[in-house]
Amino acid sequence: MTDPILVEIVEGTLASVEKEVETAIARTARSPMIRDAHDFRAGIHDARLRKLTGRSYSALVQPIVRDFPIETMKPGDVYFHNDVYLSEGGIGHLPDLCVTVPVFHEDEVVAFVQAFGHHDDIGGAVPGSMPSHARSVYEEGLMVPPIKLWDAGEPNEAALRIMTRNSRMPDSLAGDLDAECSACLMGARRLGELFDRYGKQAVQECFDAIIGKTTETFRRELLAKIPEGTYAWEDYAEHDGVDEPRLHAQRITLTVDHAADSPLTIDFTGTSPQAKGPINHAGDYADGVFLKKWLAPVLRNLADTPERMAELDVNEGVVPLIKMIFPEKGTLLTPVFPAPTNARTFVILRLLGVLAGVLAKATGGRMPADQETIRYTGVHGVDAEGAPYLMREVLGGGSGGRWYADGEDTIHVVPDSRNIPVEFAEARWPFRVERLALACDSGGPGMFRGGLGYDKHIRMLRDASYMSIADRSILSCWGVNGGLAGRPFRVEIAGKEMEGLVDDHQVQAGELIRIRTTGGGGWGSPYDRDPRAVAADVRDGKVSIAGALGDYGVVLDGDRIDEQGTAELRARLRPPADRFFDRGPGYAKLSGGRPHADVDEL
């Protein structure tokens, strides 16, 4: 039996090394996207390619060992790739660059340290390498299959020169890659010390124990709460940048069989054909191992308490619990090369919500409502010195209301990512941030309200071009169990409303860009929300007086609640029966007038 104390030591060391790698990258990277927005993450994998750490998801080691056998690797080697279709599903779009470093003990590879993140520019048709109207991956930037970027400690200068030559931000790209390679090499040395201290066999036994603990915990504490049966639900991306807005469906049919080796079967049959534009995600590789780890955090909402949920790691231990069935090639999740993928967040983020929705049907609503917490907004142009610049921000939104609490305001789904500090932005780029606040009334009304999105106003000081890669500008984040949908994404420039996908809308000096990001969906009927909580939201500027009256049926007289008026108004407003899912008014616009989908029925 593995020493439980040693397991704790090894588990703590893995978490410490992962955090140390990420801290080193954040302190030494050059680009705002990596250094300031923190849109990157590290991961540690064993020699069997299993992800050991559970704080964050990461890319995969499979494509590296596929092209470079483990026995050919040497200390000081660093491998690199960003090719979506050769990444085994671990890379979603070309700006996500991945470095992988093998860990050695007595001349044998015993583990891998990996980092990947979203970089400023890797070439392609538009600054930022995310052309919203792309019809081919060739328009999206430089594709690099797995290569050896460092050989026994010596950088491959030719490869680095090719990559930086293709980037509009070569200095940032070079600095970021150097930071990531050096940090992963440092992490590999730290892990090597762990093997030196305790020996290969003991440490690998601890790896098995760590992964096995996750498998058993998820099976016993979480999956056991899902009744056996088959459940289906779907949700939609609203546009692909090429065709007119329509419903691009992502469907999950969930089968639960507690006696099976893999208790959960996730069948994506019914997902729409691949899009002409860049919203496809190549997920059907390596048996969907990346998607299994991407989706598994949703299951943590079944934990007994929020505190217990926060304790549960998602590592390779979740993989054997899930079986995935993919449709034939040519769908949003099974695109055929060279289909474009740069806006694949529209699909993989939506899949989190689809799994939450199907689990809500299975568990009587014990799942959070929907959220949409990644979209890219920004500007590019030429500064006063004549140098080109690119400001791009991953601006979060509100999370969904939960069965026990309101959603969180302005969160970012990528762990530890954040908005760009105003002081830094104004010092670096030719604009002024006139407002950064919570978007009043953006959260979906409910017994537990959806979290609020951002309300950000940017005044341009020089002519520039605005860009956006954003979904949920028509469709809203859905509410559940009687909760209502949140407000959708909205951008106005000089009073003109923008679409969600924009490459280069011209903005004149002095014009104002007003950005409101999505609010999360509500949970439970808003007419069951404590009127005191509504009054507190009004005092805090999260709900307007009109919203309190119209959305919650709460009558306020200044700071005082009119209890009799509230009771009478709620009795008039309350519908005969709550709708289990509320998709908001945008769904009817794209569905030909239907108020809800057939799969919304319980």
Side-chain angles (χ1 to χ4, degrees), residues 81-225:
H81 72 293
N82 78 324
D83 189 315
V84 171
Y85 289 92
L86 294 179
S87 73
E88 301 290 340
I91 297 293
H93 57 184
L94 296 182
D96 281 351
L97 310 183
C98 181
V99 299
T100 305
V101 173
V103 179
F104 283 83
H105 172 69
E106 296 180 352
D107 299 323
E108 182 181 1
V109 175
V110 291
F112 295 90
V113 177
Q114 192 175 73
F116 89 113
H118 191 132
H119 293 69
D120 275 343
D121 189 277
I122 193 69
V126 302
S129 309
M130 296 182 67
S132 64
H133 305 295
R135 291 174 176 261
S136 164
V137 72
Y138 295 113
E139 301 172 57
E140 298 179 312
L142 182 68
M143 287 181 285
V144 184
I147 64 170
K148 189 182 288 187
L149 192 59
W150 288 34
D151 189 350
E154 291 297 322
N156 184 336
E157 298 294 347
L160 289 166
R161 189 178 181 191
I162 290 169
M163 285 190 281
T164 53
R165 179 62 175 166
N166 277 271
S167 175
R168 297 171 178 83
M169 305 289 163
D171 292 340
S172 290
L173 179 58
D176 289 350
L177 285 174
D178 186 61
E180 289 157 351
C181 292
S182 299
C184 286
L185 287 166
M186 177 271 295
R189 291 193 298 272
R190 294 284 188 270
L191 273 186
E193 293 167 1
L194 180 69
F195 281 88
D196 292 341
R197 186 176 304 122
Y198 296 108
K200 172 187 168 183
Q201 181 175 345
V203 174
Q204 289 182 336
E205 288 175 354
C206 290
F207 289 172
D208 292 339
I210 290 167
I211 291 173
K213 180 176 68 173
T214 295
T215 303
E216 178 58 25
T217 298
F218 268 68
R219 185 189 294 271
R220 184 184 68 253
E221 291 191 28
L222 305 181
L223 303 191
K225 295 179 179 176

Side-chain angles (χ1 to χ4, degrees), residues 195-461:
F195 281 88
D196 292 341
R197 186 176 304 122
Y198 296 108
K200 172 187 168 183
Q201 181 175 345
V203 174
Q204 289 182 336
E205 288 175 354
C206 290
F207 289 172
D208 292 339
I210 290 167
I211 291 173
K213 180 176 68 173
T214 295
T215 303
E216 178 58 25
T217 298
F218 268 68
R219 185 189 294 271
R220 184 184 68 253
E221 291 191 28
L222 305 181
L223 303 191
K225 295 179 179 176
I226 310 173
E228 288 193 336
T230 298
Y231 314 89
W233 203 63
E234 66 183 30
D235 204 0
Y236 316 94
E238 62 196 25
H239 53 167
D240 72 343
V242 175
D243 287 332
E244 289 298 310
R246 61 181 176 86
L247 298 176
H248 298 265
Q250 292 118 76
R251 175 182 281 251
I252 285 178
T253 300
L254 178 70
T255 300
V256 183
D257 180 0
H258 295 304
D261 291 337
S262 298
L264 298 188
T265 297
I266 296 177
D267 186 348
F268 297 107
T269 301
T271 293
S272 289
Q274 75 182 46
K276 295 176 184 177
I279 66 172
N280 307 290
H281 176 68
D284 59 325
Y285 293 85
D287 295 322
V289 67
F290 175 84
L291 277 180
K292 291 177 184 180
K293 287 178 281 190
W294 170 258
L295 293 174
V298 174
L299 298 168
R300 296 187 300 183
N301 288 284
L302 295 168
D304 289 337
T305 65
E307 293 77 16
R308 180 55 178 158
M309 178 175 67
E311 295 172 352
L312 299 177
D313 286 340
V314 176
N315 57 34
E316 205 75 18
V318 303
V319 171
L321 297 172
I322 303 171
K323 176 184 177 182
M324 286 188 167
I325 299 174
F326 291 93
E328 294 182 358
K329 282 289 187 181
T331 71
L332 290 172
L333 271 177
T334 60
V336 178
F337 180 84
T341 67
N342 74 76
R344 95 299 186 203
T345 50
F346 294 10
V347 170
I348 63 171
L349 285 181
R350 196 69 65 251
L351 286 178
L352 294 171
V354 179
L355 181 58
V358 78
L359 286 170
K361 292 180 70 172
T363 62
R366 203 174 182 275
M367 276 283 132
D370 191 34
Q371 64 183 34
E372 174 74 12
T373 60
I374 290 182
R375 81 274 305 142
Y376 303 90
T377 59
V379 292
H380 60 90
V382 177
D383 64 22
E385 284 71 43
Y389 73 88
L390 167 65
M391 187 288 290
R392 186 174 54 186
E393 187 170 28
V394 185
L395 206 55
S399 70
R402 298 156 286 182
W403 57 271
Y404 57 88
D406 292 344
E408 299 289 344
D409 303 325
T410 59
I411 69 163
H412 298 247
V413 73
V414 177
D416 295 333
S417 67
R418 55 186 72 97
N419 62 15
I420 295 178
V422 171
E423 297 82 1
F424 170 84
E426 292 183 339
R428 181 159 182 157
W429 297 304
F431 59 72
R432 184 170 62 245
V433 179
E434 295 189 350
R435 179 177 175 85
L436 182 61
L438 298 177
C440 183
D441 287 333
S442 58
M447 182 169 69
F448 294 109
R449 175 183 44 75
L452 274 58
Y454 282 101
D455 183 19
K456 187 167 188 174
H457 299 179
I458 298 174
R459 179 81 63 182
M460 296 308 303
L461 303 180

Side-chain angles (χ1 to χ4, degrees), residues 553 555 562-574:
V555 181
D562 181 345
E563 295 186 6
Q564 181 177 347
T566 295
E568 293 173 353
L569 179 59
R570 285 184 161 184
R572 292 198 303 271
L573 293 177
R574 188 183 293 272

Side-chain angles (χ1 to χ4, degrees), residues 247 579 584-597:
L247 298 176
R579 185 179 297 165
Y587 178 77
K589 179 179 179 180
L590 296 183
S591 67
R594 289 182 295 151
H596 57 85

